[in-house]
mmCIF file of all heavy atoms in Angstrom:
data_model
loop_
_atom_site.group_PDB
_atom_site.id
_atom_site.type_symbol
_atom_site.label_atom_id
_atom_site.label_comp_id
_atom_site.label_asym_id
_atom_site.label_seq_id
_atom_site.Cartn_x
_atom_site.Cartn_y
_atom_site.Cartn_z
ATOM 1 N N ALA W 55 276.104 120.383 48.043
ATOM 2 C CA ALA W 55 275.644 119.107 48.720
ATOM 3 C C ALA W 55 275.779 119.135 50.150
ATOM 4 O O ALA W 55 275.281 118.368 50.912
ATOM 5 C CB ALA W 55 276.500 117.955 48.215
ATOM 6 N N ALA W 56 276.562 120.114 50.722
ATOM 7 C CA ALA W 56 276.820 120.255 52.143
ATOM 8 C C ALA W 56 275.448 120.599 52.723
ATOM 9 O O ALA W 56 275.143 120.152 53.915
ATOM 10 C CB ALA W 56 277.867 121.335 52.452
ATOM 11 N N LEU W 57 274.620 121.441 52.205
ATOM 12 C CA LEU W 57 273.347 121.758 52.738
ATOM 13 C C LEU W 57 272.455 120.512 52.934
ATOM 14 O O LEU W 57 271.701 120.364 53.946
ATOM 15 C CB LEU W 57 272.697 122.693 52.036
ATOM 16 C CG LEU W 57 273.492 124.165 51.760
ATOM 17 C CD1 LEU W 57 272.670 125.096 50.883
ATOM 18 C CD2 LEU W 57 273.779 124.750 53.157
ATOM 19 N N VAL W 58 272.468 119.604 51.935
ATOM 20 C CA VAL W 58 271.734 118.403 52.025
ATOM 21 C C VAL W 58 272.143 117.521 53.215
ATOM 22 O O VAL W 58 271.472 116.956 53.819
ATOM 23 C CB VAL W 58 271.799 117.659 50.646
ATOM 24 C CG1 VAL W 58 271.051 116.371 50.767
ATOM 25 C CG2 VAL W 58 271.207 118.462 49.589
ATOM 26 N N GLU W 59 273.527 117.416 53.303
ATOM 27 C CA GLU W 59 274.031 116.673 54.411
ATOM 28 C C GLU W 59 273.778 117.185 55.674
ATOM 29 O O GLU W 59 273.515 116.427 56.592
ATOM 30 C CB GLU W 59 275.700 116.588 54.131
ATOM 31 C CG GLU W 59 276.391 115.615 55.183
ATOM 32 C CD GLU W 59 275.938 114.268 55.113
ATOM 33 O OE1 GLU W 59 275.432 113.881 53.939
ATOM 34 O OE2 GLU W 59 276.146 113.411 55.880
ATOM 35 N N VAL W 60 273.696 118.503 55.806
ATOM 36 C CA VAL W 60 273.285 119.103 57.057
ATOM 37 C C VAL W 60 271.829 118.730 57.553
ATOM 38 O O VAL W 60 271.564 118.380 58.760
ATOM 39 C CB VAL W 60 273.385 120.738 57.128
ATOM 40 C CG1 VAL W 60 272.716 121.289 58.290
ATOM 41 C CG2 VAL W 60 274.980 121.149 57.031
ATOM 42 N N GLU W 61 270.969 118.725 56.499
ATOM 43 C CA GLU W 61 269.601 118.314 56.791
ATOM 44 C C GLU W 61 269.458 116.871 57.170
ATOM 45 O O GLU W 61 268.713 116.533 58.085
ATOM 46 C CB GLU W 61 268.782 118.673 55.665
ATOM 47 C CG GLU W 61 268.611 120.104 55.384
ATOM 48 C CD GLU W 61 268.128 120.905 56.575
ATOM 49 O OE1 GLU W 61 267.182 120.528 57.363
ATOM 50 O OE2 GLU W 61 268.674 122.225 56.866
ATOM 51 N N ARG W 62 270.297 116.092 56.555
ATOM 52 C CA ARG W 62 270.382 114.679 56.997
ATOM 53 C C ARG W 62 270.790 114.497 58.412
ATOM 54 O O ARG W 62 270.152 113.674 59.087
ATOM 55 C CB ARG W 62 271.179 113.807 55.919
ATOM 56 C CG ARG W 62 271.084 112.315 56.226
ATOM 57 C CD ARG W 62 272.006 111.732 55.106
ATOM 58 N NE ARG W 62 273.356 111.651 55.403
ATOM 59 C CZ ARG W 62 273.919 110.728 56.300
ATOM 60 N NH1 ARG W 62 273.145 109.800 56.788
ATOM 61 N NH2 ARG W 62 275.197 110.796 56.612
ATOM 62 N N MET W 63 271.826 115.309 58.781
ATOM 63 C CA MET W 63 272.422 115.089 60.140
ATOM 64 C C MET W 63 271.242 115.580 61.141
ATOM 65 O O MET W 63 270.961 115.062 62.242
ATOM 66 C CB MET W 63 273.714 115.846 60.318
ATOM 67 C CG MET W 63 274.823 115.097 59.589
ATOM 68 S SD MET W 63 276.410 115.825 59.980
ATOM 69 C CE MET W 63 276.210 117.682 59.367
ATOM 70 N N ARG W 64 270.523 116.653 60.860
ATOM 71 C CA ARG W 64 269.469 117.237 61.683
ATOM 72 C C ARG W 64 268.382 116.115 61.840
ATOM 73 O O ARG W 64 267.948 115.924 63.009
ATOM 74 C CB ARG W 64 268.944 118.477 60.981
ATOM 75 C CG ARG W 64 268.057 119.176 62.002
ATOM 76 C CD ARG W 64 267.227 120.204 61.201
ATOM 77 N NE ARG W 64 267.912 121.182 60.399
ATOM 78 C CZ ARG W 64 268.319 122.334 60.855
ATOM 79 N NH1 ARG W 64 267.994 122.699 62.142
ATOM 80 N NH2 ARG W 64 268.980 123.277 60.112
ATOM 81 N N ASN W 65 268.104 115.489 60.765
ATOM 82 C CA ASN W 65 267.113 114.420 60.891
ATOM 83 C C ASN W 65 267.456 113.242 61.813
ATOM 84 O O ASN W 65 266.714 112.694 62.468
ATOM 85 C CB ASN W 65 266.537 113.965 59.513
ATOM 86 C CG ASN W 65 265.854 115.127 58.668
ATOM 87 O OD1 ASN W 65 265.200 116.048 59.241
ATOM 88 N ND2 ASN W 65 265.984 115.000 57.303
ATOM 89 N N LEU W 66 268.740 112.851 61.639
ATOM 90 C CA LEU W 66 269.272 111.811 62.399
ATOM 91 C C LEU W 66 269.187 112.262 63.864
ATOM 92 O O LEU W 66 268.884 111.339 64.697
ATOM 93 C CB LEU W 66 270.705 111.578 62.028
ATOM 94 C CG LEU W 66 270.891 110.637 60.736
ATOM 95 C CD1 LEU W 66 272.441 110.533 60.333
ATOM 96 C CD2 LEU W 66 270.225 109.268 60.810
ATOM 97 N N PHE W 103 281.584 114.911 57.468
ATOM 98 C CA PHE W 103 281.290 116.235 57.134
ATOM 99 C C PHE W 103 282.544 117.181 57.435
ATOM 100 O O PHE W 103 282.796 117.975 56.615
ATOM 101 C CB PHE W 103 279.991 116.744 57.829
ATOM 102 C CG PHE W 103 279.552 118.053 57.504
ATOM 103 C CD1 PHE W 103 278.691 118.191 56.367
ATOM 104 C CD2 PHE W 103 280.016 119.252 58.100
ATOM 105 C CE1 PHE W 103 278.207 119.450 55.948
ATOM 106 C CE2 PHE W 103 279.511 120.529 57.602
ATOM 107 C CZ PHE W 103 278.700 120.538 56.527
ATOM 108 N N ALA W 164 272.757 124.951 66.082
ATOM 109 C CA ALA W 164 274.022 124.574 65.550
ATOM 110 C C ALA W 164 274.028 124.168 64.046
ATOM 111 O O ALA W 164 274.856 124.716 63.261
ATOM 112 C CB ALA W 164 274.815 123.330 66.303
ATOM 113 N N PHE W 165 273.048 123.390 63.743
ATOM 114 C CA PHE W 165 272.884 123.034 62.383
ATOM 115 C C PHE W 165 272.436 124.290 61.436
ATOM 116 O O PHE W 165 272.917 124.401 60.336
ATOM 117 C CB PHE W 165 271.819 121.962 62.194
ATOM 118 C CG PHE W 165 272.175 120.650 62.599
ATOM 119 C CD1 PHE W 165 271.586 119.929 63.575
ATOM 120 C CD2 PHE W 165 273.343 120.085 62.050
ATOM 121 C CE1 PHE W 165 271.940 118.607 63.931
ATOM 122 C CE2 PHE W 165 273.806 118.865 62.452
ATOM 123 C CZ PHE W 165 273.145 118.070 63.503
ATOM 124 N N ASP W 166 271.617 125.102 62.147
ATOM 125 C CA ASP W 166 271.314 126.302 61.338
ATOM 126 C C ASP W 166 272.553 127.368 61.043
ATOM 127 O O ASP W 166 272.768 127.872 59.994
ATOM 128 C CB ASP W 166 270.341 127.186 62.170
ATOM 129 C CG ASP W 166 268.949 126.623 62.145
ATOM 130 O OD1 ASP W 166 268.710 125.789 61.319
ATOM 131 O OD2 ASP W 166 268.109 126.939 63.056
ATOM 132 N N ILE W 168 275.618 126.163 60.635
ATOM 133 C CA ILE W 168 276.400 125.477 59.607
ATOM 134 C C ILE W 168 275.784 125.895 58.226
ATOM 135 O O ILE W 168 276.433 126.216 57.271
ATOM 136 C CB ILE W 168 276.466 123.890 59.761
ATOM 137 C CG1 ILE W 168 277.211 123.614 61.061
ATOM 138 C CG2 ILE W 168 277.025 123.298 58.494
ATOM 139 C CD1 ILE W 168 277.241 122.105 61.410
ATOM 140 N N VAL W 169 274.325 125.880 58.222
ATOM 141 C CA VAL W 169 273.737 126.119 57.024
ATOM 142 C C VAL W 169 273.969 127.714 56.506
ATOM 143 O O VAL W 169 274.314 128.014 55.447
ATOM 144 C CB VAL W 169 272.139 125.914 57.169
ATOM 145 C CG1 VAL W 169 271.406 126.519 55.914
ATOM 146 C CG2 VAL W 169 272.013 124.475 57.189
ATOM 147 N N HIS W 172 277.545 127.967 55.092
ATOM 148 C CA HIS W 172 277.596 127.525 53.699
ATOM 149 C C HIS W 172 277.017 128.322 52.720
ATOM 150 O O HIS W 172 277.369 128.547 51.549
ATOM 151 C CB HIS W 172 277.215 126.052 53.669
ATOM 152 C CG HIS W 172 278.291 125.109 54.013
ATOM 153 N ND1 HIS W 172 279.056 124.528 53.096
ATOM 154 C CD2 HIS W 172 278.684 124.553 55.292
ATOM 155 C CE1 HIS W 172 279.999 123.725 53.757
ATOM 156 N NE2 HIS W 172 279.726 123.671 55.034
#
Side-chain angles (χ1 to χ4, degrees):
L57 301 178
V58 178
E59 184 64 19
V60 170
E61 295 304 319
R62 188 177 79 85
M63 291 189 296
R64 190 198 300 268
N65 292 333
L66 284 174
F103 189 88
F165 286 126
D166 289 341
I168 296 176
V169 171
H172 272 273

